[in-house]
Amino acid sequence: MTEQEHKKMGDTLWKIADQLRGAMNADDFRDYMLAFLFLRYLSDNYETAAAKELGSDYPVDVPEDVRRKLGANSPLALWYQDNPADTEDFERLMRRRVHYVIRPEHLWSNIAEMARVQSNELLSTLQTGMKYIEEQSFESTFGGLFSEINLSSEKLGKTYSDRNAALCKIIVEIANGLKSFSTDSDTLGDAYEYLIGQFAAGSGKKAGEFYTPQFVSDILSQIVSLDGQEPSTGKRKHIDKIMDFACGSGSLLLNVRHRMGAHGIGKIYGQEKNITTYNLARMNMLLHGVKDTEFEIFHGDTLTNDWEMLRELNPAKMPRFDAVVANPPFSYRWTPTDAMADDVRFKNYGLAPKSAADFAFLLHGFHYLKDDGVMAIILPHGVLFRGGAEARIRTKLLKDGHVDTVIGLPANLFYSTGIPVCILVLKRCKKPDDVLFINAAEHFVRGKRQNFLGDGTVGKPDHIGKIVSTYQHRTEEPRYSRRVPMTEIEENDFNLNISRYVSTATAEEEIDLAAVHTRLTALNQKIAAATKEHNAFLQELGLSPLP
């Protein structure tokens, strides 16, 4: 499917969402719609795997009208009817193969048919099916995946009948909308991402909880995909482990995977505090063809370090990551305990102030970075110049040689805030004895509600490519980028305010007063001579001379 067709499919689904949600909150409707899209993917994937396992026994050649007369809405349903004694062994096999089980009555094809005929059993069938997928998955991999999809919510309707009718309408529209498109995993994954972006645009400030704009995500993913120690040599061959400790819907991690290729990353790790967003991230991974053995998303609080895996104190066993990416909540208010001062993540630097956990998030990710790894994190500009505890943390990071690059982005790029933000690139063992500053604040495409960064396609300026190339080759350009020696940063009390080092202001042209005086004198002399000559003509004509 072409990029244009991907967009058309996304637009089709978004129009359906916009029409159907009515008075329902966009975030609530998002969860229903994305869950159904995910169920469609799981069903397609499961039926494909079932056909492969059953081989010639899979009744794919039976005409649809014949199947329907027999009460079967899918070839798998017909096989279940004909082989009741073998279904238990088959499900055991499928649990090992694809790590989950969907009964024929819970497949999307049956759900869509029930919706088409307005079956009163649709709601209860959906509830049973989602619960079965969660409980019958391999090693509880899918446990709680649909936990936030409340099909009994009065937001769908006051009575069971009302809710059932609403679900019928939603599912019929989605099924019809998908009919004219190829729905392989990549296609559905792209549609899922597109819808997340569209819902984020409509959610305003809440969107920052789960979504990083694609063009900002592109910058971070390209940076960490380059060789950690020698970016100028190009893309690294493999990332063993990558982590996003505030992963939202997982779009940033998937962007890196897309750039590295399906086999370019060993394992993906993410953490998310919001339960709904955590489930969105897991669905997003699976929809993009990431196997459940290739990722681990943990539901928990990053700042209190709930994840048992990350609490390992033995340096030999503690997980380390080749790449860390993150877009944590900006200036998040937190309540660090006294015990946190001795936390291994913070004790060498100090605690971030209660008013802004920005450096707490940064230090958390940096603690787990490999010696040759790269970390790219989005933060508010305040971390560059605020005083107090943040100044002490910033100073130590700089003195220890861990701050590699500071990138200033334009204002109004994010749904959650209009303020300009920055990207900090950190390394444990960076080679250059300077800090690269990139001031991209004036390089953007202005939009109605939100500004954008061009990617060089269809005649757009390549703002993203310019930032990444400048980082990769550490190039300097007036009013855009500069390599600043540590001596100069120390002279500025370790203040990293970008405009101190790379100003976008245009210097006023110096005026040579002596030269201006000479030109004015010459002009006056010419005026006097011309006036004298003109008056001579006027006198001959008997007219009054000019003064």
Side-chain angles (χ1 to χ4, degrees), residues 208-225:
E209 297 174 6
F210 61 88
Y211 189 73
T212 302
Q214 184 70 33
F215 43 83
V216 178
S217 178
D218 285 345
I219 298 172
L220 274 74
S221 64
Q222 289 187 55
I223 285 174
V224 300
S225 298

Side-chain angles (χ1 to χ4, degrees), residues 49 106 291:
H106 304 143
K291 296 176 183 176

Side-chain angles (χ1 to χ4, degrees), residues 291-306:
K291 296 176 183 176
D292 54 11
T293 54
E294 297 173 343
F295 74 89
E296 187 171 347
I297 309 291
F298 180 78
H299 175 230
D301 191 328
T302 295
L303 295 176
T304 56
N305 212 12
D306 291 346

Side-chain angles (χ1 to χ4, degrees), residues 172-363:
V172 164
E173 289 297 331
I174 293 174
N176 290 338
L178 291 173
K179 270 183 182 177
S180 56
F181 298 100
S182 162
T183 50
D184 55 32
S185 64
D186 284 342
T187 303
L188 285 173
D190 289 341
Y192 189 91
E193 278 281 301
Y194 181 84
L195 287 174
I196 286 176
Q198 293 297 100
F199 278 115
S203 296
K205 291 186 177 181
K206 286 186 178 181
E209 297 174 6
F210 61 88
Y211 189 73
T212 302
Q214 184 70 33
F215 43 83
V216 178
S217 178
D218 285 345
I219 298 172
L220 274 74
S221 64
Q222 289 187 55
I223 285 174
V224 300
S225 298
L226 293 169
D227 185 87
Q229 294 303 298
E230 298 288 352
S232 59
T233 60
K235 195 174 83 172
R236 61 172 87 198
K237 293 180 180 178
H238 188 77
I239 292 176
D240 184 33
K241 291 189 288 187
I242 183 172
M243 176 175 73
D244 182 346
F245 53 80
C247 70
S249 62
S251 59
L252 185 48
L253 288 167
L254 286 167
N255 197 321
V256 180
R257 181 180 183 268
H258 174 73
R259 207 156 297 282
M260 293 298 298
H263 305 292
I265 297 178
K267 192 161 185 178
I268 292 171
Y269 294 84
Q271 183 165 356
E272 177 53 43
K273 185 178 179 181
N274 181 293
I275 181 68
T276 303
T277 313
Y278 156 72
N279 285 328
L280 278 181
R282 292 199 291 163
M283 290 183 192
N284 206 6
M285 292 289 157
L286 294 163
L287 266 167
H288 281 84
V290 186
K291 296 176 183 176
D292 54 11
T293 54
E294 297 173 343
F295 74 89
E296 187 171 347
I297 309 291
F298 180 78
H299 175 230
D301 191 328
T302 295
L303 295 176
T304 56
N305 212 12
D306 291 346
W307 201 347
E308 193 64 33
M309 178 188 79
L310 299 180
R311 298 172 74 92
E312 176 61 60
L313 297 178
N314 185 339
K317 295 181 179 179
M318 186 175 71
R320 297 280 188 184
F321 300 91
D322 303 277
V324 176
V325 290
N327 175 24
F330 300 151
S331 300
Y332 179 76
R333 300 186 75 86
W334 70 315
T335 52
T337 62
D338 292 339
M340 278 188 170
D342 295 321
D343 190 303
V344 291
R345 299 170 295 165
F346 310 131
K347 68 178 182 180
N348 292 329
Y349 297 90
L351 290 172
K354 293 179 180 180
S355 59
D358 302 308
F359 270 116
F361 284 117
L362 182 151
L363 292 172

Side-chain angles (χ1 to χ4, degrees), residues 46 76-84 87 90-91 102-104:
Y46 192 80
L76 188 61
L78 192 58
W79 184 86
Y80 263 69
Q81 286 181 12
D82 294 341
N83 301 274
T87 57
F90 170 73
E91 288 186 1
I102 303 184
R103 288 270 174 88

Side-chain angles (χ1 to χ4, degrees), residues 469-487:
S469 176
T470 302
Y471 161 78
Q472 181 178 4
H473 302 289
R474 294 186 88 77
T475 51
E476 296 185 281
E477 180 183 321
R479 302 180 65 243
Y480 187 77
S481 61
R482 184 175 162 230
R483 297 175 63 171
V484 180
M486 284 304 302
T487 51

